[in-house]
Amino acid sequence: MKKLSLAFCCCFVSFLSFGQAVKSTLSIIPEPVKTVTKPGQFILPKNITIQAKLNKDVMPVTNYLRKKLTTATGAMVTIKGNSFAPATIKLLLTAKTDTTLGKEGYKLWVSGKGVVISANEPAGLFYGVQTLMQLLPKEIESAEVHHMRWTIPHVEITDYPRFAWRGLMLDVSRHFFTKEEVKQYIDQMVRYKFNLLHMHLTDDEGWRIEIKSLPRLTTVGAYNVKKVGEFGTFSKPTPDEPRTYGGFYTQDDIKELVKYGKEHFLNIMPEVDVPGHSLAAVVAYPELSCTPGAENYQVRSGEHMMDFSKEGIKALVDNTLNPASEKTYAFLDKVMGEIAQLFPFDYIHLGGDECAKNFWEQSADVKALMAKENLKNMEEVQSYFEKRLETIVESKGKKFMGWDEIIEGGLGPKAAVMSWRGIQGGITASRLGHEVVMSPTTFAYLDYMQSDRVMEPHVYATLRLNKSYQFEPVPDSADAKLILGGQANLWTEQVFNFRQVEYMTWPRGMAISESVWSPKAKKDWNNFYPKVEKQFARLNEAEIKYAPAMYDPDFKATMNGDKMNVELTTEIPNLDIYYSFDNSYPDRFYPKYMSALEVPEDATQLRVITYRGKEPVGRMITMPIAELKRRIGRSGQ
Ligand code: ACM
């Protein structure tokens, strides 16, 4: 009788669960593969028990979870290895591999009994924990204890990533970010299930990694003169200005970062950008240059140095390594030897982008190399360099990756390509049988402005959140099996501090995370932007900066006879825009934007602010009428 009623109850309960399954109203980013919400909530007890295998691979997950829970809830959290004891949260490794979940997938159940996360590997448990964090109230992100009901909705989630390569690139050369700031960046990345940090470690403005056999790279190459304002237009430093701005990571720092990454299931890929973008190295060791007088060069502080034109890229000082000198290859052999020892990740990124060839064209060394190796043009000279570098990298047991320029003069046999100038480089490389990571400017450049130009530090292009969200790493004509995944890149010419790193990364990083984790069919802008708003509340708790740019309108000015009209559009719906032309600050009692505005004859500025209902959500934007006039007739406003 007892057995029978139990069986009946189970059937009844599971019937109820199926019958009452409702569409997800959760706000998880990136969107999981499958979510079934159930009625009811689990309430975290005051004393929380986590049950998990007490081995070294699972401990980082358990410790992470315990820290999050104790910090925000103040609860007592006990970790138990005994699988039979009751527990609030169980982290289980599958006895038999669940093939749908792969290495990073997980299943998560929340019911009246508590929380269970199961996965094939500790990485999956970690991502299950990240999802669990997003199911808890937003206060879980706080650094202070909150005395409140800690509820978790009843839910069943099955989730795994679309791509194994889910990256963000941080340029630590143009501006240096400390080891602690890099750790904070890792903390923020893993919330959205990124697993790769690409560190752009070298450029014209600083060499940021200690190479013990080449000490001048960091004693000299890691420092420039501090300048503030609009990078690229700075005055040339004078000889008496102190060259003390910058910094570098010691090899111990790098080991610490790699270990920190590993504990967060994240790899770090180093980039050494050669043969262009190499001024810091040339200043440290001028014998690496093919140009006489390189010993007088200085590490760049942001003064004008490059001309980008349709005809090609020209450098005003020679920021390249000499491709015709054996000293260059001996140098790179030393650098790669030390870097390969420090980073366990399979790939080393060797740059290859935007290499100005105008000094190579003048060089007798380069001309002699071309004659000897039968190289027809400068692209083939670069290709010669890249192939030799690939051999060096592979001799250290690593795989070679470069920006898509490395395709131009012919690719080395095993080179992997990171496609940034759109997607075509990635398509071409994949069809030639090379591995590819997609990170096109058009969708994935986090240095681009995210609101109107009057609101942002100036960069040459704009990338709004909804455009980032359209990132699709596998174009139709690519060889899909060779696309490892995608990443977004944060170049930091105009990013002078870590708060601005955060501002530039979020929420566009969230859009990219859905493109690289979630199933393509699950992506939906109308589902995404409300989730972003919920994430903003979480970031507020965590005191992480983000750009509220999705509330800022776009301005489009046109002439109608001698009158100027201004059209305002927002990327999300149901917002009200209030405006003024009288130089005062509008609020919701001002005129509401309904259709294109006619600019009064003597107005000098248009001010706008966006509301949702009674709440101001956008920023106060002051648009000079002269700026609108300047834009008329130019494409791309
Ligand atoms: C790049 O943005 N120059 C790779």
Side-chain angles (χ1 to χ4, degrees):
M1 176 61 201
K2 218 173 171 185
K3 259 190 194 156
L4 230 174
S5 61
L6 192 68
F8 173 77
C9 277
C10 286
C11 282
F12 184 67
V13 168
S14 63
F15 171 77
L16 253 187
S17 318
F18 273 106
Q20 293 184 359
V22 286
K23 189 177 176 307
S24 165
T25 52
L26 309 173
S27 291
I28 300 163
I29 293 180
E31 184 65 30
V33 172
K34 182 160 182 254
T35 306
V36 182
T37 51
K38 308 276 175 80
Q41 294 179 324
F42 176 70
I43 298 166
L44 273 185
K46 289 259 175 312
N47 294 319
I48 298 170
T49 325
I50 303 173
Q51 183 227 301
K53 255 209 169 91
L54 302 178
N55 72 26
K56 73 170 181 15
D57 297 328
V58 178
M59 280 315 270
V61 186
T62 333
N63 289 339
Y64 180 95
L65 177 58
R66 175 167 54 185
K67 187 159 173 234
K68 286 292 252 188
L69 291 171
T70 48
T71 305
T73 72
M76 266 288 294
V77 179
T78 318
I79 298 176
K80 283 191 180 160
N82 180 350
S83 56
F84 299 106
T88 324
I89 303 172
K90 294 189 179 196
L91 304 178
L92 307 176
L93 287 175
T94 52
K96 189 167 161 288
T97 303
D98 180 336
T99 50
T100 45
L101 298 184
K103 286 185 192 320
E104 297 181 294
Y106 64 91
K107 283 191 174 153
L108 185 155
W109 294 265
V110 183
S111 69
K113 292 199 206 126
V115 178
V116 179
I117 301 173
S118 90
N120 295 325
E121 309 254 349
L125 295 178
F126 185 67
Y127 293 125
V129 165
Q130 293 304 334
T131 297
L132 177 62
M133 291 302 111
Q134 294 194 29
L135 293 171
L136 279 156
K138 65 181 186 330
E139 288 80 5
I140 193 67
E141 302 301 347
S142 172
E144 287 137 38
V145 172
H146 288 252
H147 296 289
M148 55 182 277
R149 257 162 70 96
W150 289 93
T151 57
I152 314 173
H154 289 175
V155 70
E156 281 182 26
I157 294 176
T158 304
D159 198 15
Y160 46 86
R162 182 172 167 207
F163 294 105
W165 188 297
R166 305 184 302 279
L168 292 184
M169 187 215 77
L170 181 61
D171 170 4
V172 293
S173 174
R174 270 51 179 273
H175 285 101
F176 178 64
F177 300 98
T178 63
K179 177 178 67 180
E180 291 310 320
E181 288 168 336
V182 175
K183 286 185 187 173
Q184 281 182 56
Y185 203 57
I186 293 173
D187 291 344
Q188 295 175 23
M189 288 173 70
V190 298
R191 291 161 178 266
Y192 300 107
K193 304 188 174 82
F194 286 103
N195 66 356
L196 183 97
L197 173 63
H198 166 174
M199 292 179 79
H200 182 78
L201 288 166
T202 73
D203 214 302
D204 301 322
E205 295 76 10
W207 183 284
R208 305 292 181 208
I209 179 168
E210 178 188 27
I211 302 295
K212 289 189 194 281
S213 58
L214 295 159
R216 284 177 59 83
L217 284 173
T218 42
T219 54
V220 174
Y223 298 97
N224 60 9
V225 174
K226 183 176 165 100
K227 301 267 172 181
V228 179
E230 192 166 326
F231 183 101
T233 66
F234 292 155
S235 52
K236 195 169 158 40
T238 53
D240 58 330
E241 283 182 279
R243 294 201 152 263
T244 51
Y245 183 57
F248 66 94
Y249 310 105
T250 64
Q251 294 204 351
D252 283 344
D253 290 339
I254 293 286
K255 285 179 197 155
E256 193 178 320
L257 285 173
V258 166
K259 179 167 175 283
Y260 193 80
K262 186 164 188 280
E263 286 162 3
H264 293 76
F265 300 89
L266 173 141
N267 282 305
I268 302 184
M269 176 173 71
E271 180 187 349
V272 172
D273 197 352
V274 288
H277 288 277
S278 294
L279 185 60
V282 167
V283 172
Y285 295 101
E287 62 271 27
L288 297 173
S289 175
C290 66
T291 298
E295 57 283 357
N296 300 321
Y297 288 167
Q298 299 283 16
V299 179
R300 186 187 184 208
S301 296
E303 58 275 26
H304 178 55
M305 197 185 91
M306 303 291 286
D307 275 341
F308 293 91
S309 75
K310 281 207 182 70
E311 289 73 50
I313 300 169
K314 280 199 169 55
L316 308 184
V317 297
D318 186 3
N319 65 340
T320 66
L321 303 184
N322 182 355
S325 168
E326 287 310 310
K327 284 185 190 150
T328 295
Y329 300 103
F331 165 82
L332 290 167
D333 190 79
K334 280 186 186 167
V335 172
M336 287 305 118
E338 294 192 34
I339 285 194
Q341 291 297 313
L342 289 169
F343 293 91
F345 191 54
D346 283 349
Y347 295 83
I348 300 178
H349 196 304
L350 279 306
D353 58 320
E354 299 177 322
C355 177
K357 312 287 195 324
N358 51 309
F359 286 94
W360 289 5
E361 281 160 2
Q362 308 301 318
S363 161
D365 283 2
V366 175
K367 284 181 190 148
L369 176 76
M370 291 174 81
K372 178 162 165 265
E373 298 290 333
N374 192 24
L375 306 171
K376 289 188 280 304
N377 53 41
M378 287 299 145
E379 284 64 43
E380 290 192 10
V381 173
Q382 182 169 348
S383 173
Y384 167 87
F385 171 90
E386 303 293 351
K387 285 175 186 158
R388 287 203 55 182
L389 187 49
E390 182 176 346
T391 308
I392 293 171
V393 169
E394 284 166 5
S395 77
K396 311 297 176 201
K398 295 292 181 183
K399 296 185 183 177
F400 174 96
M401 178 173 279
W403 299 109
D404 58 53
E405 283 92 335
I406 65 169
I407 304 172
E408 283 168 0
L411 265 179
K414 294 195 207 141
V417 171
M418 191 167 268
S419 189
W420 74 279
R421 295 176 302 176
I423 53 175
Q424 192 51 49
I427 295 172
T428 306
S430 74
R431 291 169 71 135
L432 290 169
H434 293 265
E435 290 177 328
V436 166
V437 173
M438 286 290 189
S439 63
T441 53
T442 28
F443 302 100
Y445 261 40
L446 300 178
D447 58 324
Y448 281 17
M449 299 177 291
Q450 40 198 335
S451 178
D452 191 280
R453 194 176 162 79
V454 296
M455 295 300 286
E456 304 278 57
H458 292 171
V459 182
Y460 52 93
T462 301
L463 175 63
R464 281 206 173 257
L465 180 63
N466 73 85
K467 182 79 178 185
S468 271
Y469 194 66
Q470 292 165 35
F471 177 39
E472 167 47 45
V474 185
D476 286 344
S477 52
D479 184 344
K481 69 178 182 305
L482 289 166
I483 309 281
L484 304 178
Q487 71 173 46
N489 301 326
L490 180 54
W491 303 101
T492 58
E493 285 95 330
Q494 310 297 349
V495 180
F496 291 71
N497 62 68
F498 189 68
R499 292 298 282 176
Q500 186 69 1
V501 167
E502 297 178 341
Y503 172 93
M504 297 305 281
T505 305
W506 314 116
R508 288 179 299 186
M510 298 178 201
I512 300 298
S513 83
E514 271 201 12
S515 297
V516 293
W517 176 284
S518 307
K520 194 174 167 182
K522 281 267 169 161
K523 280 183 63 191
D524 176 356
W525 170 251
N526 290 323
N527 187 32
F528 178 70
Y529 76 78
K531 294 195 300 183
V532 170
E533 298 197 88
K534 295 268 173 55
Q535 293 290 331
F536 283 171
R538 290 178 173 270
L539 297 186
N540 287 341
E541 290 292 336
E543 299 192 287
I544 294 171
K545 198 169 187 184
Y546 57 87
M550 69 180 192
Y551 301 114
D552 296 343
D554 267 326
F555 296 73
K556 185 171 168 48
T558 47
M559 289 311 286
N560 183 9
D562 59 353
K563 301 268 186 243
M564 186 195 288
N565 287 342
V566 186
E567 226 181 293
L568 304 176
T569 47
T570 54
E571 57 183 334
I572 64 173
N574 303 325
L575 298 174
D576 297 321
I577 307 170
Y578 298 93
Y579 66 92
S580 77
F581 282 110
D582 61 10
N583 302 342
S584 63
Y585 292 90
D587 59 20
R588 73 184 188 88
F589 299 93
Y590 273 60
K592 191 198 294 197
Y593 177 85
M594 303 301 282
S595 61
L597 303 174
E598 188 176 296
V599 179
E601 189 181 358
D602 297 312
T604 57
Q605 55 190 20
L606 165 61
R607 279 215 172 99
V608 305
I609 185 162
T610 310
Y611 275 66
R612 181 180 281 128
K614 292 186 177 180
E615 194 197 347
V617 287
R619 297 175 286 190
M620 184 69 70
I621 304 182
T622 302
M623 171 62 76
I625 301 303
E627 169 70 11
L628 291 175
K629 274 207 182 103
R630 201 178 56 74
R631 295 179 187 185
I632 287 178
R634 291 185 6 183
S635 59
Q637 294 271 326

